[in-house]
Amino acid sequence: MEVPHRFFRIITPPQNYNTRLRHQLGDTVRVTAYDGIIVTIRLERDNARIYFADGWEQFFDHHNLQDAHVLVFDYNGYSTFNMTIFDHSGLEVTYDFDVPEEYNVSHTDNPAFEITLTLHHNSHREICIPGWFSRYHLPRGLRSVQIHDSLRHNWELATNLRPNGLIRRMTIGWADFFREKELQMGDTCVFKLLNSEPPKFIVYKKDHVGGSLTRL
């Protein structure tokens, strides 16, 4: 991976920071992964350019990086970076090991996750499913799921898969549901999984003031 000049200007405003940072970096850097593992990556230099070499491929595979992902590197000093990953829609990428602390993995009765719809996250056309939810509650390789609405109609939604077979997004079909239920950007939806085959969700709209739920 080439590290261009522009990469360092994102980190700090001074114009001469790029030059100073190159002098601070040694032959290797350490990049902190999402699971806390620190990976050592060897650097290669070609005139004014810096490249990630040995170690980057393993880091790339570990995080299932894909085309159109945006990587933001935060320099901590001592040749160490933290990395944040965003997908093509601008949503920060989460992973299977990103299970919320308050979530009890052993509890499988009607598990749920909550999403706030934003235009930045393209939520009128697709819904990202948290990695921890896919891992613990949805079969791998699942190509579609359903939403069972308040009128007892089943909406078929296609799914987009991660390389490991876990569901990443609900795609085709969500836009129709979004329009039919008159959802708006800023609405918060709660997706509750039913014990059914194929997997079905009940979707609620959450009131931002009182927190009450209205089934869609």
Side-chain angles (χ1 to χ4, degrees):
M1 175 186 175
E2 180 181 345
V3 184
H5 291 276
R6 216 168 26 176
F7 167 90
F8 300 115
R9 290 175 189 161
I10 293 174
I11 297 175
T12 186
Q15 295 183 355
N16 65 343
Y17 189 80
N18 181 29
T19 302
R20 290 192 286 115
L21 182 56
R22 287 205 308 271
H23 291 313
Q24 291 180 32
L25 299 178
D27 294 331
T28 62
V29 295
R30 293 178 299 173
V31 180
T32 303
Y34 269 85
D35 49 6
I37 296 176
I38 298 178
V39 178
T40 300
I41 300 174
R42 186 174 63 83
L43 297 180
E44 289 184 355
R45 290 176 168 83
D46 181 10
N47 295 323
R49 295 184 174 183
I50 303 175
Y51 297 84
F52 288 160
D54 298 340
W56 172 250
E57 184 175 354
Q58 292 83 351
F59 192 88
F60 186 100
D61 293 340
H62 180 71
H63 289 84
N64 294 324
L65 297 180
Q66 300 179 20
D67 291 342
H69 276 179
V70 175
L71 279 57
V72 177
F73 291 81
D74 183 18
Y75 185 57
N76 295 327
Y78 304 101
S79 295
T80 302
F81 293 89
N82 289 332
M83 185 181 73
T84 307
I85 306 168
F86 298 89
D87 65 16
H88 73 284
S89 63
L91 181 67
E92 183 174 352
V93 177
T94 56
Y95 292 87
D96 303 338
F97 33 76
D98 292 337
V99 181
E101 292 182 1
E102 69 274 13
Y103 182 76
N104 183 0
V105 174
S106 64
H107 178 70
T108 57
D109 294 334
N110 300 120
F113 67 92
E114 183 176 299
I115 292 290
T116 299
L117 309 180
T118 65
L119 186 61
H120 181 62
H121 293 162
N122 208 24
S123 296
H124 65 296
R125 300 183 63 181
E126 59 186 29
I127 288 293
C128 292
I129 299 180
W132 61 267
F133 190 93
S134 292
R135 179 180 181 182
Y136 290 107
H137 299 297
L138 296 173
R140 293 177 185 267
L142 196 64
R143 293 294 181 179
S144 66
V145 296
Q146 293 181 351
I147 293 178
H148 188 61
D149 70 10
S150 57
L151 301 177
R152 298 186 179 180
H153 175 68
N154 290 325
W155 297 75
E156 189 85 11
L157 275 69
T159 58
N160 169 274
L161 303 180
R162 298 176 183 272
N164 59 7
L166 293 175
I167 293 180
R168 180 190 296 274
R169 301 181 184 89
M170 294 184 286
T171 56
I172 300 173
W174 170 252
D176 294 334
F177 184 85
F178 181 95
R179 288 192 297 268
E180 178 70 22
K181 301 303 179 179
E182 299 181 344
L183 291 168
Q184 303 291 330
M185 292 298 102
D187 288 343
T188 297
C189 292
V190 177
F191 290 76
K192 184 177 181 180
L193 183 64
L194 298 177
N195 294 321
S196 63
E197 183 63 39
K200 292 182 182 179
F201 289 94
I202 294 177
V203 181
Y204 299 88
K205 181 179 175 181
K206 185 176 183 179
D207 182 84
H208 286 289
V209 178
S212 60
L213 301 177
T214 302
R215 183 174 174 182
L216 300 177

